[in-house]
Amino acid sequence: MTLPTPEEVRRVACVGAGVIGGGWVAHFLARGYDVTAWDPAPDAEAKLRRLVDAAWPALTQLGLAEGASRDRLTVTPTLELAVAEAQFVQESAPEKLDLKRDLLARLDAATPAGVVIASSTSGYPMTDMQTTAADPSRLVVGHPFNPPYLIPLVEVVGGEHTEEAAVSWASRFYEVAGKSVITMDREVPGFIANRLQEALWREALHMVANGEATVRDIDASITEGPGLRWAVMGPMLTFALAGGEGGMAHMLDHFGPSLKAPWTRLEAPELDRELYDAVVSGCDVAADGRTIAELVAERDRGVIDVLRATGRLGGKAEPR
Amino acid sequence: MTLPTPEEVRRVACVGAGVIGGGWVAHFLARGYDVTAWDPAPDAEAKLRRLVDAAWPALTQLGLAEGASRDRLTVTPTLELAVAEAQFVQESAPEKLDLKRDLLARLDAATPAGVVIASSTSGYPMTDMQTTAADPSRLVVGHPFNPPYLIPLVEVVGGEHTEEAAVSWASRFYEVAGKSVITMDREVPGFIANRLQEALWREALHMVANGEATVRDIDASITEGPGLRWAVMGPMLTFALAGGEGGMAHMLDHFGPSLKAPWTRLEAPELDRELYDAVVSGCDVAADGRTIAELVAERDRGVIDVLRATGRLGGKAEPR
């Protein structure tokens, strides 16, 4: 069998059909793929079809790919049948290292040679998961965000024994399949976005544990505050705009000392010249020629669009 | 002079007219208030009027309050003139404790008795700032998010010597002025949202310092990932949905062990029974009777609205 290019893929296998695996199924169906799925739970098929049915109106509204249909989903009685003719495999099993290891080895044994197998793991490095597979070279992490049928981001990274070609094939495939891809050149536990949201989540848990804020306060503080900006502009450029016309350099001069303040339980790194320069020049790269005034205008337009789209215009925010 | 109720306020003073102070000026003008402003910088008035002019088209689009006009801004040559007839004072000076202390004492001396004075401080507890004012009882924190004319959130909290009545007056005033308010019953450095975004920011700085991710990767990982959800639903309820039909309890059972994983430099609190119960029951309160299926539908609708509003529909996300 000739291996397909990312553009030629027509048949995708999803192994594990819980919230994440089922979300992947919905995404791939909406993008017009044939999808085979397998999950060991006895009621897995009914649950999966419920999830896809629940997502379908939204996906229809978003615009289905030509030929996309829920009829193109086949739930198979065995893992081997699910992957036998797959041109790409997405594994979304529970987050247990031993389970992932065994499952990836089984998938590797049952999947046509050379076909890329991606794991949805939230944070295990592939190096730790690919230890027992006969051919670890085609195993990559393809980490999505819930729900995979709506949130564009996928973080792609290989392990020590992954071939570079498998990583770039997977990155390209996800792009073709409508995702927004960050390809990492090294393994970091939790990848990028999960490290960031895990820091926030842990600080939130500390606050709940200490009675400093309620769950509701925490959620409102994000949806009515920084969350509105983060849908539009990331935390780095957003902070650069707090520096006014001086941008990130002025922001670091002004707020750098607050890195020493006990504003979170997380210790900050030393803001030495090297880090200062890396952040400032990194912001220049991210700004990509846009001036501070242009970035402010872009952020403002985006936030207004988000406020309007989520029904929060006209002054007072509606309680959500 | 009789003190106005929050609903009766017509004249607001903004002291400090940088990015935040100027943003407050734009907000109060758009909501129809008379605004007096003072800032010691020699070019402050020109800069402030530029900022207000830049924000005005957006604010017009959002819907100005009746009678709102940029002509209702008066920039005064002295601090004392700015606050002499103010019915509410918003202080937005640079983030230096000594400066804030002195300025709040001066404001207290010059502002009509009983009028509430709020500080935009990003993280100083009012207890530490109100030490030299003759009447600390009317000094509160009213912490906004940049830009104050677009991001609804204001965190309100008093210091040890603040009267409860001043805190509740300020909270009510901000609501009348179109803000979304969280009133805290105790002082925590960084309040709520800044603690959460500071944890994320510090983790991001660590990643840049270690070469694990670029500034651009970090920003994209948020805008294409969790940031899209956070504009719609906070981190706690969002995570509850990762638990599928089992909600937060199932999520904690499933992902609780990852609190021990090195997914961020921030150590997690012990997930003991008490914290587990607090998070689960806090989510029930925040869900306010909505089932998991209803929350999923709400999140999906919101994320689709945000994707559409920010031009990211149709599969592949546009680079921003």
Side-chain angles (χ1 to χ4, degrees):
Chain A
M1 172 175 139
T2 324
L3 283 177
T5 64
E7 290 78 5
E8 287 166 352
V9 172
R10 291 291 163 266
R11 180 179 295 272
V12 170
C14 292
V15 172
V19 173
I20 294 297
W24 272 120
V25 168
H27 177 76
F28 288 125
L29 287 172
R31 305 300 297 169
Y33 293 95
D34 291 314
V35 178
T36 50
W38 176 77
D39 188 289
D43 59 343
E45 176 159 3
K47 235 172 155 170
L48 171 57
R49 293 200 184 268
R50 261 209 312 279
L51 190 156
V52 172
D53 286 346
W56 208 252
L59 291 168
T60 305
Q61 208 188 341
L62 282 175
L64 300 172
E66 208 181 309
S69 165
R70 281 173 283 182
D71 297 342
R72 295 171 74 171
L73 168 61
T74 309
V75 180
T76 62
T78 67
L79 171 153
E80 285 71 19
L81 278 171
V83 301
E85 295 179 55
Q87 295 169 306
F88 175 74
V89 177
Q90 184 78 39
E91 170 273 309
S92 310
E95 204 64 14
K96 288 176 187 144
L97 186 55
D98 286 348
L99 190 157
K100 293 271 196 197
R101 259 185 205 143
D102 294 350
L103 186 60
L104 287 171
R106 267 182 78 191
L107 287 172
D108 174 50
T111 302
V115 164
V116 172
I117 300 169
S119 172
S120 297
T121 181
S122 311
Y124 291 128
M126 182 46 83
T127 297
D128 296 345
M129 295 191 295
Q130 67 190 170
T131 50
T132 53
D135 177 12
S137 73
R138 56 160 157 181
L139 300 179
V140 304
V141 166
H143 174 238
F145 289 77
N146 191 37
Y149 56 86
L150 285 184
I151 305 292
L153 185 63
V154 181
E155 294 171 314
V156 179
V157 61
E160 205 181 308
H161 298 289
T162 306
E163 262 179 28
E164 188 47 44
V167 172
S168 48
W169 191 98
S171 292
R172 176 68 192 145
F173 167 71
Y174 284 125
E175 280 175 5
V176 172
K179 306 299 288 183
S180 184
V181 177
I182 296 180
T183 308
M184 297 179 70
D185 62 7
R186 73 177 80 177
E187 294 187 286
V188 187
F191 319 119
I192 301 174
N194 265 1
R195 290 187 77 83
L196 299 173
Q197 66 172 353
E198 183 77 10
L200 188 152
W201 162 243
R202 289 183 187 187
E203 185 60 37
L205 289 179
H206 278 293
M207 297 192 82
V208 172
N210 290 351
E212 294 163 354
T214 66
V215 166
R216 192 198 276 262
D217 288 341
I218 286 163
D219 275 358
S221 80
I222 296 297
T223 56
E224 302 300 313
L228 287 169
R229 305 185 297 211
W230 286 335
V232 170
M233 188 171 282
M236 309 297 285
L237 278 189
T238 293
F239 273 7
L241 302 190
E245 294 168 10
M248 182 54 91
H250 185 70
M251 188 277 179
L252 289 176
D253 296 337
H254 188 67
F255 284 104
S258 72
L259 285 172
K260 306 280 186 196
W263 282 12
T264 153
R265 279 92 182 164
L266 176 53
E267 291 293 319
E270 195 57 43
L271 186 61
D272 56 16
R273 195 74 225 173
E274 198 178 347
L275 178 54
Y276 183 101
D277 290 344
V279 172
V280 171
S281 68
C283 277
D284 287 344
V285 171
D288 199 19
R290 292 168 292 181
T291 63
I292 292 288
E294 286 166 347
L295 288 168
V296 166
E298 195 176 304
R299 177 202 60 196
D300 284 7
R301 268 198 311 275
V303 171
I304 289 170
D305 288 342
V306 169
L307 287 169
R308 181 183 297 114
T310 54
R312 282 182 281 185
L313 278 199
K316 188 153 166 30
E318 290 302 310
R320 294 183 66 87
Chain B
M1 173 172 138
T2 323
L3 284 176
T5 65
E7 290 78 5
E8 288 166 351
V9 172
R10 292 290 163 267
R11 180 180 294 272
V12 169
C14 293
V15 171
V19 173
I20 294 297
W24 271 121
V25 168
H27 177 75
F28 287 125
L29 287 172
R31 305 300 298 167
Y33 293 95
D34 291 314
V35 179
T36 49
W38 176 78
D39 188 289
D43 60 342
E45 175 159 5
K47 235 171 157 172
L48 171 57
R49 293 203 183 266
R50 262 209 310 281
L51 189 156
V52 172
D53 286 345
W56 207 252
L59 291 168
T60 305
Q61 208 188 342
L62 282 176
L64 300 172
E66 209 181 309
S69 166
R70 282 173 282 182
D71 298 340
R72 296 173 73 172
L73 168 62
T74 308
V75 179
T76 61
T78 66
L79 171 152
E80 284 71 18
L81 277 171
V83 301
E85 295 179 54
Q87 295 168 307
F88 176 73
V89 178
Q90 183 79 39
E91 170 273 309
S92 310
E95 204 64 12
K96 288 174 188 146
L97 186 54
D98 285 347
L99 189 157
K100 294 270 197 195
R101 260 187 206 140
D102 293 348
L103 186 59
L104 287 171
R106 267 182 78 192
L107 286 172
D108 174 48
T111 302
V115 164
V116 172
I117 300 170
S119 171
S120 297
T121 180
S122 311
Y124 291 128
M126 181 47 82
T127 297
D128 296 345
M129 295 191 294
Q130 68 190 171
T131 49
T132 53
D135 177 13
S137 73
R138 55 161 158 181
L139 300 180
V140 304
V141 166
H143 173 238
F145 290 77
N146 191 38
Y149 56 85
L150 286 184
I151 305 291
L153 185 62
V154 181
E155 294 171 315
V156 179
V157 61
E160 207 180 306
H161 298 288
T162 305
E163 261 179 31
E164 188 47 43
V167 172
S168 47
W169 190 98
S171 293
R172 177 67 192 146
F173 168 71
Y174 284 125
E175 281 175 4
V176 172
K179 306 299 288 183
S180 184
V181 177
I182 296 179
T183 308
M184 298 178 70
D185 61 8
R186 73 177 81 176
E187 294 188 285
V188 187
F191 319 119
I192 301 175
N194 265 1
R195 291 188 76 85
L196 300 173
Q197 67 172 353
E198 182 77 11
L200 188 153
W201 162 243
R202 290 184 186 189
E203 185 60 36
L205 289 178
H206 278 293
M207 296 192 81
V208 172
N210 290 350
E212 294 162 354
T214 66
V215 166
R216 193 199 277 263
D217 288 341
I218 286 163
D219 275 356
S221 81
I222 296 296
T223 55
E224 301 300 313
L228 287 170
R229 304 186 297 211
W230 287 335
V232 170
M233 188 171 282
M236 308 298 284
L237 278 188
T238 292
F239 272 9
L241 301 190
E245 293 168 11
M248 181 54 90
H250 185 70
M251 187 278 180
L252 289 176
D253 296 338
H254 188 67
F255 284 103
S258 72
L259 285 173
K260 305 280 187 198
W263 282 12
T264 154
R265 279 93 182 164
L266 177 53
E267 291 292 321
E270 194 58 44
L271 187 62
D272 56 17
R273 194 74 225 171
E274 198 179 345
L275 178 54
Y276 184 101
D277 290 345
V279 172
V280 171
S281 67
C283 278
D284 287 344
V285 171
D288 200 18
R290 292 169 293 181
T291 65
I292 292 290
E294 285 166 346
L295 288 167
V296 166
E298 196 176 303
R299 177 202 60 197
D300 285 7
R301 267 197 312 275
V303 171
I304 289 170
D305 289 341
V306 169
L307 287 169
R308 180 181 297 114
T310 54
R312 281 181 283 186
L313 277 198
K316 188 153 167 24
E318 289 303 308
R320 294 181 68 84

